Amino acid sequence: MSHRYLLRGTIAAAVSVMAIAGCSSDDSDDTATTGGATGASASSSTEATTNTDCGENADKATPGPVSTAPLKIGTLLPATGSLAFLGPPEFAGVKLAVQDVNTAGGVLDQPVQQIDGDSGDTTTDTANATVDRELAAGTQVIVGAASSSVSLKVIDKISNAGAVMFSPANTSDEFTCYADKGQYFRTAPADTLQAQALAQVMAEGGVQRVAILAMNDPYGTGLAKNTVSDLEAAGIPADQIKTIIYDPNAQSFNAEVDQVKNFNPDGIAVIGFEESAKIITRMNEVKIGPKDKLVFGVDGNMGNALGESVGPGILEGMKGTTPLTNVGPQFEARLKSADPALIDFNYAGESYDAVVISALAAEVAKSTNGRSIAANINAVTEGGTKCKTFQECLPLAKAGTDLDYDGVTGELAFVTAGEPSVGSYGVLEFDGSNKLITPVADYKVVKGN
């Protein structure tokens, strides 16, 4: 998949400096860089362009028989496993969306039913058991999974059953052209977009020599590959970038961290899940942690749960990207009404929008058949009369008016492959107490062709 790296505003100057310095550096004179990002204000907003549409190769759903049964929304989200820290905001987003849909009158004048389920992770068969239970209950839409690898374990089962699979957090670009019968969708933008946002943040830090530690799964290897491409496009020579792929279930990551140390980069990206705590702890021990180098994370590890899993102050200054829209304090307060214990909001908006889009698609289809819902999902996100809530969009759907739902995560504009053509990423940073600094002040916007 081809993609271009276009930088606008303050980041352009940072990349120009980086490209010149990167071309002239060699192994003998690399020095560690410490401190914050340079060349961009804390509230900057930059845009890049990439191609994420699978075009005519994308599967398209075929409407099924009309059904007026109540819409059942199942969840396949991480209550346990390596991404359990993402579970609470995702469950809260689904719960709040179902409440809002039902308050507005439900779907086909009937309340939406929610059936919760755990996805676990790839070390268990929890996801398959959850999917079996929810499909047996007649669930037409399953929101999940969070992990790309977990989704790949069950996507065929769900699509073959004619149900919608709608992930709020899958970012692997492997799904863009997946043979899913047109039944798979996601509100999280693909890693081809996140890679550009991550590369922008690294460029703003002035990195000239980069090591990438990535977990060995579709998410890790895909995001690493795209990030390398974008860093090279920004001017960093290929011999100044080293990618190290690791087994996330390994007992020790010392060998991989030692490889990074020997490469002597000034910037290090860690693309992983909960095992990132062990990796960064080891990096700190050998003096290449966030206190010594520019260290960057991604959506799989940039959460307060990471800060609770490492020693005091180890993460200070570590930055990273995650799909995130500035949803504002009002929506966050509403999420807390659904789950008062929430401390993170990652993918809550994406989970909320997945439910609302599915409900609107059912209204447009005049049917809760899973294939009919899938056949209308893309259409309700682009090209029609704009509306921002289910309550606002519902009269349009009932009247047969073409609508364009721009949700709590902003513009969606799904492409044929059933994913956003626009990605918004928050730039997160840990403070001296290993907590993420709030509110998030810097967002990167990436638009697909």
Side-chain angles (χ1 to χ4, degrees):
M1 181 179 297
S2 63
H3 48 281
R4 294 179 293 133
Y5 192 85
L6 302 179
L7 300 171
R8 300 175 183 170
T10 56
I11 185 62
V15 172
S16 298
V17 172
M18 180 188 67
I20 295 171
C23 290
S24 63
S25 66
D26 58 36
D27 291 352
S28 62
D29 62 1
D30 289 322
T31 57
T33 302
T34 59
T38 59
S41 68
S43 60
S44 64
S45 180
T46 56
E47 291 192 4
T49 301
T50 191
N51 180 19
T52 60
D53 194 351
C54 195
E56 293 305 313
N57 292 324
D59 283 3
K60 300 177 181 64
T62 302
V66 173
S67 171
T68 57
L71 177 61
K72 295 181 180 180
I73 303 281
T75 58
L76 181 66
L77 299 170
T80 61
S82 59
L83 284 182
F85 76 95
L86 289 178
E90 292 172 345
F91 280 111
V94 171
K95 181 179 180 180
L96 182 60
V98 170
Q99 289 175 354
D100 286 351
V101 169
N102 287 339
T103 298
V107 171
L108 304 184
D109 300 318
Q110 301 175 92
V112 174
Q113 300 175 20
Q114 181 176 341
I115 304 174
D116 280 335
D118 182 18
S119 65
D121 58 25
T122 55
T123 65
T124 71
D125 201 38
T126 304
N128 268 303
T130 295
V131 169
D132 288 342
R133 174 172 58 84
E134 293 183 353
L135 290 177
T139 303
Q140 303 100 330
V141 177
I142 295 178
V143 177
S147 162
S148 294
S149 292
V150 171
S151 288
L152 287 170
K153 292 177 66 174
V154 296
I155 185 172
D156 292 337
K157 178 182 291 186
I158 296 172
S159 61
N160 287 335
V164 170
M165 184 177 187
F166 212 144
S167 174
N170 286 168
T171 57
S172 171
D173 54 11
E174 188 168 345
F175 293 103
T176 300
C177 296
Y178 194 90
D180 55 23
K181 303 182 186 299
Q183 297 293 129
Y184 173 87
F185 302 86
R186 54 179 164 185
T187 40
D191 280 334
T192 48
L193 300 178
Q194 179 167 196
Q196 294 209 26
L198 177 61
Q200 287 187 34
V201 174
M202 297 176 76
E204 290 174 356
V207 297
Q208 303 172 24
R209 185 173 171 87
V210 179
I212 299 175
L213 277 163
M215 65 187 297
N216 189 14
D217 83 337
Y219 164 74
T221 58
L223 182 50
K225 178 181 178 181
N226 287 313
T227 301
V228 168
S229 296
D230 292 320
L231 289 171
E232 289 179 355
I236 297 184
D239 63 359
Q240 297 299 304
I241 305 172
K242 185 178 184 66
T243 300
I244 300 167
I245 306 299
Y246 66 84
D247 176 3
N249 297 314
Q251 294 300 308
S252 170
F253 304 98
N254 290 2
E256 291 83 358
V257 172
D258 288 347
Q259 288 184 59
V260 174
K261 181 178 175 65
N262 292 336
F263 186 64
N264 192 27
D266 50 26
I268 303 167
V270 181
I271 302 175
F273 294 158
E274 64 180 2
E275 77 285 349
S276 301
K278 291 182 179 180
I279 292 172
I280 295 171
T281 296
R282 176 60 179 172
M283 288 169 55
N284 182 68
E285 291 171 352
V286 299
K287 307 301 182 185
I288 59 169
K291 291 183 178 297
D292 304 286
K293 303 279 187 178
L294 291 173
V295 178
F296 304 89
V298 289
D299 55 310
N301 51 30
M302 289 297 293
N304 284 313
L306 177 63
E308 297 170 357
S309 303
V310 298
I314 283 180
L315 300 180
E316 183 176 8
M318 178 178 174
K319 289 186 175 183
T321 55
T322 190
L324 188 67
T325 303
N326 186 6
V327 297
Q330 183 177 359
F331 183 71
E332 291 182 357
R334 296 190 67 222
L335 286 168
K336 284 200 168 188
S337 72
D339 181 358
L342 276 184
I343 58 173
D344 289 321
F345 300 95
N346 292 359
Y347 295 113
E350 287 81 358
S351 301
Y352 181 97
D353 282 344
V355 173
V356 173
I357 291 168
S358 299
L360 289 171
E363 280 287 349
V364 170
K366 309 300 182 189
S367 172
T368 54
N369 176 279
R371 297 204 304 273
S372 298
I373 293 172
N376 287 277
I377 283 178
N378 289 347
V380 302
T381 69
E382 54 87 25
T385 301
K386 287 191 176 294
C387 51
K388 294 185 177 181
T389 66
F390 182 80
Q391 185 173 20
E392 182 183 351
C393 296
L394 182 58
L396 298 174
K398 285 184 175 295
T401 303
D402 187 19
L403 63 91
D404 177 358
Y405 172 69
D406 286 350
V408 296
T409 57
E411 182 183 1
L412 293 159
F414 276 17
V415 295
T416 307
E419 60 190 31
S421 61
V422 180
S424 174
Y425 297 88
V427 181
L428 310 182
E429 182 176 356
F430 285 101
D431 63 16
S433 59
N434 288 349
K435 298 287 187 182
L436 290 174
I437 297 172
T438 57
V440 176
D442 190 1
Y443 291 85
K444 307 300 180 192
V445 178
V446 183
K447 291 187 176 182
N449 290 331

